[in-house]
Amino acid sequence: MNKYALAVVPMALLFTGAAHAEAKVTAYGRVLYNMISDDTSDNIYFGRHEFAESNIGLKGSVDYDGLTIGAQLEIGLNEGVSNLLQNGSNGRNRIQEITVAGTFGKVRLGTGESTTYIISDVDQSGTWLSDPLGMSSRFGSTRRGPSGESQTPLVQSQSIFNERILYESPKVFGGGQFSGQLGEDNSYEVAFKYLQDGWRFNVWHADFGDGDNDSDPQANIDGNPTPGFFGAENGSGVLLGYKHDSGVNLTAVYGTADLLDGGSRDYLNWKLGYSMDKHAVSISMGTFDSEDAMGVDGAEHQRTTLAYHFIPLGGVRFWLQATTGDTDDQESFNAFAAGGMVKF
């Protein structure tokens, strides 16, 4: 299908409006940057990750005969990691989809955040955006580190940039929801999330299909084609979290992945946080292990991150983050990040 027409045509229909329906249209965006210094770079550089880049977007919906029909187009203005000397742009369409919602749930057709990415990227600390180095309770990568030190227990399928059809159920069991999607190259993802009374429980499984991430655009953006870096065949994970009325919260995540080269990876992350009013702080720790196709254990990698998040007013955020990491028989990795975001 034509990826541009997928969202642009329905969006145009929404804007012109149906004869007996009123369209609701919203424009939005954000500008986000991090300045990072670490052991791997001689210079301060700007750092971003998949879902923490500047973007602009447009979305709209029309209510008709018990259904809500909508469309969304969002463009990431500059993704990946670059230093101060890099002038190239990595802009790309991030979300372009049609949605139909009703009593049956919601169906989404197009490109956008994949099911397991949404489910796995949750923590309740209020410091998620403070983490350009990838050490929050997200089921993703710890990207930065000296050569050979970075471990990637499970990198999500970049189905967020592939066409797919996604279904989200109505609420079940009070605060639960089932979701699943079918994507390009016979990939699929299924998940269940539950959130009620401060408790959060998520479980998911992803199979990356025939494509096996070989043509993953993010690999080109990061310039890191290392075998297995985006080479997971499938992966599963579980997340458990609790947030008290006082603002104290804890999130723990465990996940595994089978790799294309016959190896496997697993990791355990936990994150203790406190959020109240304009301030949030968290400390997170993670242990990542790997095993090659012959069953030989790889080096164990550990990271600890301390993050602070400040929201002076709605739509404006600032943060600081310090990360230290160690890998068996290798020198430690240390980094410091300062960043901010204006959202409109």
Side-chain angles (χ1 to χ4, degrees):
M1 68 182 76
N2 186 302
K3 293 187 177 182
Y4 288 94
L6 182 63
V8 173
V9 172
M11 189 73 74
L13 294 176
L14 289 173
F15 296 162
T16 55
H20 304 289
E22 180 179 354
K24 304 171 185 177
V25 180
T26 302
Y28 64 93
R30 69 183 182 187
V31 177
L32 184 153
Y33 270 100
N34 290 286
M35 294 181 62
I36 302 174
S37 175
D38 65 31
D39 295 340
T40 68
S41 175
D42 294 332
N43 301 311
I44 293 175
Y45 63 91
F46 294 149
R48 294 166 290 278
H49 53 80
E50 296 97 330
F51 274 74
E53 89 288 3
S54 301
N55 60 52
I56 55 175
L58 198 64
K59 59 183 177 181
S61 64
V62 172
D63 294 327
Y64 177 75
D65 197 23
L67 299 175
T68 299
I69 304 169
Q72 182 177 2
L73 175 64
E74 181 174 301
I75 300 172
L77 299 180
N78 199 1
E79 287 197 346
V81 175
S82 62
N83 59 41
L84 293 175
L85 301 179
Q86 179 176 337
N87 296 319
S89 173
N90 294 321
R92 56 181 168 179
N93 289 350
R94 199 176 81 167
I95 300 173
Q96 43 190 351
E97 66 178 12
I98 306 166
T99 61
V100 179
T103 57
F104 55 85
K106 179 183 285 188
V107 176
R108 300 162 59 180
L109 175 65
T111 64
E113 303 107 316
S114 65
T115 296
T116 54
Y117 204 108
I118 298 171
I119 298 299
S120 62
D121 244 350
V122 173
D123 75 58
Q124 302 182 91
S125 68
T127 60
W128 183 85
L129 282 169
S130 311
D131 197 12
L133 299 174
M135 193 48 209
S136 67
S137 294
R138 52 191 296 264
F139 209 61
S141 62
T142 61
R143 295 206 168 167
R144 300 298 299 178
S147 177
E149 287 194 17
S150 294
Q151 298 292 318
T152 310
L154 172 66
V155 177
Q156 297 291 342
S157 163
Q158 295 296 303
S159 58
I160 52 176
F161 304 111
N162 292 339
E163 288 139 351
R164 82 285 185 275
I165 183 168
L166 187 155
Y167 170 71
E168 298 171 338
S169 77
K171 294 295 182 181
V172 296
F173 310 123
Q177 185 180 48
F178 291 97
S179 57
Q181 73 176 39
L182 295 174
E184 291 186 68
D185 301 315
N186 299 313
S187 65
Y188 69 86
E189 303 178 18
V190 291
F192 174 75
K193 64 179 180 180
Y194 179 84
L195 176 62
Q196 192 168 18
D197 299 326
W199 288 98
R200 184 184 294 273
F201 171 76
N202 297 343
V203 60
W204 63 91
H205 175 76
D207 187 296
F208 303 140
D210 301 332
D212 290 332
N213 300 333
D214 292 337
S215 60
D216 187 328
Q218 189 70 38
N220 298 327
I221 285 177
D222 285 343
N224 194 333
T226 304
F229 196 85
F230 285 90
E233 285 188 317
N234 59 73
S236 303
V238 60
L239 178 151
L240 180 63
Y242 178 70
K243 184 174 183 178
H244 190 265
D245 292 341
S246 64
V248 176
N249 54 84
L250 178 66
T251 306
V253 191
Y254 174 73
T256 63
D258 294 325
L259 305 181
L260 291 173
D261 60 9
S264 63
R265 286 176 176 166
D266 68 277
Y267 87 113
L268 176 65
N269 254 11
W270 63 263
K271 189 171 190 179
L272 177 65
Y274 173 77
S275 60
M276 187 60 63
D277 299 326
K278 299 180 178 181
H279 305 275
V281 64
S282 69
I283 181 171
S284 58
M285 298 184 68
T287 300
F288 310 125
D289 297 287
S290 62
E291 185 179 276
D292 66 18
M294 303 301 293
V296 178
D297 290 336
E300 181 180 277
H301 179 78
Q302 296 180 326
R303 284 206 175 183
T304 302
T305 293
L306 180 65
Y308 169 71
H309 202 106
F310 175 55
I311 307 175
L313 51 93
V316 178
R317 299 167 182 253
F318 298 101
W319 51 77
L320 299 172
Q321 173 191 327
T323 295
T324 182
D326 292 284
T327 303
D328 292 346
D329 302 322
Q330 298 184 35
E331 64 179 283
S332 63
F333 162 71
N334 301 283
F336 178 80
M341 177 178 72
V342 177
K343 188 176 181 180
F344 56 90

